[in-house]
Amino acid sequence: MLKIIYKNKKEKKNMAFVTERMTKEEKDNFAARAIPNPGNKFFILKPSKWTIDRENNVILVWALEEREEPHDNHFLLCWKDTPITVKLGECWTEGSPRTWELRHIKIPENLKAQQDEIIQILKDALEGYGFDGDPKGNNKTTKVQFNF
């Protein structure tokens, strides 16, 4: 069972997903769980930033972009203390919204009945992730849309 532990930063009511840099303590706690990188199982996932909904204890972490075309992105979505691996394609041209395409999602058998809810949470998290998951980057100016 995966339990995400994070430093309780200024809590707000009805908080949605925010993208932020992790504190040293958050990074250490995450790394201690030794979660394999969804894009390369030979390495442990050690993120420095995440997209998080603290109220619901849901996080999205970018893991890897493939070198080969079409340069798909691998993410880890942690929901209800369960890691869910996600592979997304993307389409973006300057001045247009970034469009995410779901290539694969590995939902555990015990959560299959909640697939629609998980997909919606993934979309909400990706809206918080924005353009590139950089807390100071293009996240606020680039719209996100979905082909799934």
Side-chain angles (χ1 to χ4, degrees):
M1 181 154 99
L2 173 71
K3 185 71 174 171
I4 302 301
I5 299 172
Y6 53 85
K7 187 176 178 182
N8 192 359
K9 296 181 181 175
K10 300 175 185 174
E11 285 194 38
K12 298 178 183 175
K13 293 182 180 177
N14 301 322
M15 179 180 266
F17 283 96
V18 294
T19 299
E20 62 187 23
R21 298 221 175 270
M22 298 165 73
T23 65
K24 181 179 181 340
E25 180 184 7
E26 290 166 339
K27 288 188 249 184
D28 292 345
N29 286 336
F30 194 98
R33 282 143 185 67
I35 300 169
N37 186 313
N40 185 339
K41 302 288 184 192
F42 293 110
F43 295 97
I44 299 301
L45 186 58
K46 295 181 180 177
S48 61
K49 57 189 174 185
W50 57 14
T51 301
I52 184 166
D53 176 343
R54 292 183 187 284
E55 182 178 320
N56 296 304
N57 197 25
V58 179
I59 65 165
L60 179 71
V61 176
W62 176 85
L64 178 102
E65 180 179 347
E66 294 177 358
R67 282 193 264 179
E68 304 294 324
E69 291 283 343
H71 304 292
D72 289 338
N73 287 272
H74 295 259
F75 289 86
L76 180 74
L77 177 70
C78 294
W79 181 69
K80 293 194 176 186
D81 299 327
T82 304
I84 300 168
T85 59
V86 179
K87 182 176 179 181
L88 297 167
E90 62 177 306
C91 177
W92 181 76
T93 54
E94 193 159 342
S96 69
R98 172 166 258 181
T99 302
W100 291 106
E101 297 177 352
L102 183 63
R103 304 263 200 254
H104 178 77
I105 185 165
K106 187 175 182 181
I107 298 175
E109 282 300 318
N110 64 322
L111 297 177
K112 291 281 188 190
Q114 296 168 295
Q115 180 171 329
D116 291 344
E117 182 180 358
I118 293 168
I119 296 293
Q120 185 57 55
I121 289 167
L122 174 61
K123 288 178 178 181
D124 293 345
L126 285 166
E127 285 181 2
Y129 179 84
F131 178 77
D132 60 4
D134 184 353
K136 297 180 182 176
N138 294 319
N139 286 344
K140 306 300 180 210
T141 59
T142 302
K143 300 261 188 252
V144 175
Q145 60 188 30
F146 309 97
N147 279 349
F148 62 94

